[in-house]
Amino acid sequence: ATGRVFAELAAILVGIGLIVGSLSYSGKIGTLAFELLQLAGNNVALLLMLGALASVIMGKGVTVTVAYIILALTLAPALTDSGLSAMGVHMFMLYWGMLSYITPPVALGSFAAASLAQANPMRTGFESMKLGTIIYFVPFFFVLDPGLIMQGEPLHILTVFGCAILGVVVLSTSLQGYLYGIGDLTGMGLTQWPIRLALMIGAMAFAMPGNDVIGMDNMQLFIAGLVFTGAAFILAFTARKVIAPG
């Protein structure tokens, strides 16, 4: 069984090897980050999104270590010069490089699990993305607020950790369609979607750190989270009362 798993992974690695070779011989690896800098200009939010995209793509074509070293030499200086934490920036790039292992079409971790479970590889990859949705947001949180990587005053660290945990809990209710105190949202028909959307926006507001890049401070984001989450609870409670008699 182990041999069969490795045989399937070998076929994937052969394709990755072709990507590595083409990137190396064409010299595109070294110029990718520079092109991103030119594209993003001085927009920190756009640069972070492009950096995340570059990290996950390069994580598929080369090893995570190689992708991190290249981006650390080319992309990291631009981000740190924008006022972001150096440790947060480097962890951001390393984190996104590792996300390639659960992100199709080259999700080695998911494909290995699919081989062991005798499941469809692509379906397993997309399911792993669904279960790990919050992981795609976490790097943005800690690169924008180093308090989430234990840098800063103790009170600030506790505050941002508490808000992040609350945001993750609310986001999980949105993704899974189950609201605590209300129950299963999937039985509410089309009404479930505005409820889940409001929960997702509220979750992002709770977890997102406030700074100049976001344009709002922590208190404003917390209030926005309460508004959207509260609206979702009211709508869900009303919908349940209307649907229950039928």
Side-chain angles (χ1 to χ4, degrees), residues 85-88 145-153 156-157:
S85 165
M87 182 181 293
D145 194 330
L148 289 171
I149 51 176
M150 308 299 289
Q151 291 185 326
E153 297 295 327
H156 177 71
I157 292 173

Side-chain angles (χ1 to χ4, degrees), residues 32-59:
L32 175 60
F34 176 77
E35 295 296 335
L36 291 177
L37 292 175
Q38 297 297 313
L39 184 62
N42 296 321
N43 191 319
V44 178
L46 180 58
L47 188 58
L48 282 173
M49 288 187 284
L50 291 174
L53 180 63
S55 298
V56 74
I57 290 175
M58 293 181 66

